[in-house]
Amino acid sequence: MAGYKNLFKQTAIYGLATVLPRMFSFLLVPLYTKLLPKAEYGQVTVIFAYMIFFNVILAYGMETSFFRFYNKESDKKNVVETALISVFWSTIIFLASTLIFKNYLSEISGININYITYSIWILALDAFVIIPFSKLRANQKPIFYAIVKIGNVVVNLLLNLFFLFFLPKIVASNPDCFCETIYVENFQIGYIFISNIVASFITLALLSPDYFKVNWHFDFQLWKKMMRYGLPILVAGIAFAINEQFDKILLGKLLPPNIADAQVGVYSACYKLGLFMVLYRTAYTLGIEPFFFSHAANENAPQTYAKVTKYFVIFGSFILLVVIVFADIFKRIMIPNSTYWEAMKVVPLIILANFFLGIYTNLSVWYKLIDKTYIGAYISIIGAIITLLLNFWLIPVLGYYGSAIATIAAYGSMMFISYYLGKKQYPIPYEINAISAYLGISIVFSVISFYFFRENYFVGIGLIFVFLLYIYNNEKTLLLQIIKRKKK
């Protein structure tokens, strides 16, 4: 029980470090949708979608590899230094080469060269802190991790507000003030990237002591082992980026040019309502990955993983139902511009897709523990193929709704494939009947609420209450144990 308590504590702190930045970031959604035309918001979305791919490439699986070897090797300092040096020099090479060829990159992508330059710097600054952040997680320092993560987004948020909202008003009322020297008309997208650059630079400055504390000793033999472990994760990461982001890019390519950017903007705005499941999934993943590796040697590890997965499904099923019941309230808060609401029909699919991805994260522990990460790459590639095929097929027919269908099909397939392969390679005694029941009931109740009784909160809240009773009836023993421990 102590192990679970520590897991929940760290997950809560990592959750805070994830929830608050995401919440702060979502304060930018109404700002962007108010100040940017839908087409420009779509352009920003596409640029950041491309950046996700390069984030994965610049990490090249070293983060997960770091956790594996940090727990496996006796000389942990050697692991830190080797990983840090590897990512540092690969990032320097990326930075130099992309700046040299930025004109060519602008031509082939059709993206403004200034935005290309800003994106390159953001990617490099974020890559430099990959290992320092991983070290904080490995050393179980979630509080400092949370402070830095939250600080990054607060700076980014404040700068966005200043550049996009306050600066134009200041210059309009005081044209001779100092602020006039930094004001550029119709430069909203540029200001968004500049805000990100400043926030990323401050984050690097806070974590830079890690670079000064190392002896810059590079263990080539260890690096080769880490690369062999990490490269399949790179492939899986690229496939994951395709599943997560390529729909926005393809929408811009496959829809008629006169509506493409606007449709990407509408879809992306409503896609953001999947925030709550993304937050839950991301916070849990941050806490669970070190937990899985640190418990790998325990005799009862499979039973522990099974219980953790069951509890993840219980909480996730509850979140799924609550968010879908109150989706039309959340949209008024997060997307106050009603012209974006036309894409609301994708919200249940996106939330469920993210839940499937979270379950897949739990199920994927087996191939990481037996050092067969290439299997995860194969599974992710299958998901990426499904994503691409369905997007190419459905976007011309259904538009962004086709992209949502492709997303849920890809993540659902990955979840089932990982489960069936894991049963043979690393058997874990999952409570399949209980997990299926919780998931199935929450999906059925969500469908009833959203598609038959939408915005009828008497019915929706009633369904939530019934689901809570079902949870209590089945998990009563555990809940009573927790309550008794609290009283003591």
Side-chain angles (χ1 to χ4, degrees):
M1 185 63 72
Y4 294 128
K5 185 177 180 181
N6 187 52
L7 169 62
F8 293 141
K9 178 183 176 182
Q10 289 198 36
T11 300
I13 298 174
Y14 286 127
L16 184 67
T18 305
V19 170
L20 288 182
R22 291 293 181 100
M23 292 303 293
F24 288 148
S25 295
F26 270 82
L27 293 176
L28 295 172
V29 175
L31 179 68
Y32 291 163
T33 54
K34 180 179 179 180
L35 298 178
L36 297 178
K38 286 186 284 188
E40 287 192 14
Y41 183 62
Q43 290 174 24
V44 172
T45 300
V46 170
I47 294 171
F48 277 103
Y50 278 116
M51 289 176 66
I52 294 295
F53 284 91
F54 284 99
N55 278 327
V56 173
I57 292 170
L58 287 170
Y60 50 88
M62 189 57 71
E63 184 177 17
T64 302
S65 187
F66 171 84
F67 284 121
R68 177 58 171 165
F69 285 89
Y70 191 85
N71 286 282
K72 185 178 181 181
E73 298 286 323
S74 58
D75 190 350
K76 300 186 186 303
K77 188 172 182 291
N78 189 35
V79 175
V80 173
E81 291 182 347
T82 300
L84 196 69
I85 293 169
S86 177
V87 173
F88 175 80
W89 284 112
S90 61
T91 303
I92 291 294
I93 293 170
F94 163 81
L95 182 62
S97 58
T98 50
L99 288 176
I100 291 171
F101 294 104
K102 62 183 179 181
N103 290 324
Y104 176 71
L105 292 172
S106 178
E107 288 178 12
I108 63 173
S109 66
I111 297 173
N112 184 293
I113 190 169
N114 290 325
Y115 304 155
I116 292 285
T117 304
Y118 299 146
S119 299
I120 290 170
W121 280 105
I122 293 169
L123 288 166
L125 291 170
D126 289 346
F128 283 133
V129 298
I130 290 172
I131 300 304
F133 270 130
S134 300
K135 182 183 172 185
L136 290 177
R137 290 172 57 195
N139 290 333
Q140 298 187 6
K141 295 182 179 179
I143 294 178
F144 184 62
Y145 177 96
I147 291 172
V148 177
K149 282 285 187 180
I150 293 170
N152 173 282
V153 181
V154 169
V155 170
N156 187 25
L157 171 63
L158 294 177
L159 288 174
N160 269 277
L161 287 172
F162 172 73
F163 284 128
L164 299 180
F165 186 75
F166 292 109
L167 182 60
K169 292 188 175 183
I170 293 172
V171 172
S173 59
N174 300 283
D176 297 325
C177 71
F178 168 76
C179 290
E180 197 274 336
T181 60
I182 60 173
Y183 177 68
V184 180
E185 195 173 358
N186 297 321
F187 191 62
Q188 290 93 333
I189 296 179
Y191 284 134
I192 292 172
F193 287 108
I194 290 173
S195 300
N196 274 268
I197 289 173
V198 174
S200 295
F201 180 79
I202 292 174
T203 299
L204 175 59
L206 291 172
L207 296 176
S208 61
D210 280 327
Y211 283 95
F212 298 106
K213 291 177 182 177
V214 299
N215 295 323
W216 293 88
H217 168 71
F218 186 75
D219 187 334
F220 185 69
Q221 295 304 318
L222 172 62
W223 180 79
K224 287 198 297 184
K225 290 190 289 184
M226 295 179 77
M227 290 298 291
R228 279 196 296 269
Y229 185 88
L231 284 178
I233 296 172
L234 166 61
V235 176
I238 292 174
F240 171 80
I242 290 174
N243 292 328
E244 188 75 7
Q245 299 294 333
F246 216 71
D247 52 353
K248 287 88 171 175
I249 296 172
L250 287 178
L251 279 170
K253 300 291 185 183
L254 298 177
L255 291 176
N258 60 318
I259 65 168
D261 286 339
Q263 289 292 285
V264 173
V266 168
Y267 174 66
S268 300
C270 288
Y271 196 101
K272 303 266 185 203
L273 287 175
L275 162 76
F276 301 97
M277 188 60 73
V278 173
L279 293 177
Y280 173 61
R281 186 199 81 213
T282 305
Y284 179 83
T285 301
L286 287 170
I288 203 64
E289 194 168 61
F291 176 83
F292 279 157
F293 285 125
S294 63
H295 282 69
N298 291 355
E299 187 176 332
N300 63 341
Q303 289 74 22
T304 300
Y305 299 153
K307 287 183 179 180
V308 168
T309 300
K310 177 186 172 184
Y311 299 144
F312 174 84
V313 172
I314 292 173
F315 287 116
S317 298
F318 176 71
I319 292 171
L320 171 72
L321 179 57
V322 169
V323 174
I324 290 177
V325 166
F326 295 106
D328 289 290
I329 292 178
F330 293 137
K331 79 181 181 186
R332 290 178 171 83
I333 299 171
M334 299 170 65
I335 314 172
N337 188 338
S338 60
T339 61
Y340 285 82
W341 294 353
E342 65 175 86
M344 276 297 294
K345 60 184 178 181
V346 306
V347 172
L349 296 182
I350 296 304
I351 296 171
L352 183 57
N354 276 288
F355 190 22
F356 284 166
L357 181 59
I359 297 173
Y360 166 73
T361 300
N362 275 273
L363 299 176
S364 68
V365 63
W366 64 269
Y367 63 72
K368 295 179 181 177
L369 293 176
I370 63 175
D371 292 344
K372 292 185 177 181
T373 52
Y374 62 87
I375 296 177
Y378 293 151
I379 295 173
S380 296
I381 289 171
I382 292 172
I385 292 172
I386 293 171
T387 295
L388 293 173
L389 290 177
L390 289 180
N391 269 290
F392 276 110
W393 176 35
L394 296 176
I395 286 177
V397 180
L398 300 174
Y400 50 71
Y401 195 69
S403 292
I405 294 173
T407 301
I408 195 170
Y411 290 149
S413 300
M414 291 166 61
M415 177 181 68
F416 284 113
I417 292 170
S418 182
Y419 169 69
Y420 283 109
L421 291 179
K423 283 201 302 183
K424 299 178 181 179
Q425 299 283 340
Y426 188 94
I428 295 176
Y430 295 116
E431 298 180 46
I432 294 301
N433 291 336
I435 289 173
S436 300
Y438 286 120
L439 180 59
I441 292 172
S442 69
I443 291 174
V444 170
F445 282 5
S446 296
V447 169
I448 292 172
S449 174
F450 193 84
Y451 294 105
F452 296 98
F453 295 95
R454 188 169 171 182
E455 294 193 79
N456 184 331
Y457 297 110
F458 179 79
V459 173
I461 293 172
L463 291 172
I464 293 172
F465 182 70
V466 171
F467 189 60
L468 284 173
L469 284 178
Y470 180 79
I471 294 173
Y472 176 77
N473 184 61
N474 287 277
E475 307 299 327
K476 184 164 40 179
T477 303
L478 174 64
L479 293 173
L480 290 176
Q481 286 179 354
I482 294 173
I483 292 171
K484 288 179 180 179
R485 285 178 175 270
K486 291 281 186 182
K487 289 182 178 179
K488 290 180 181 180

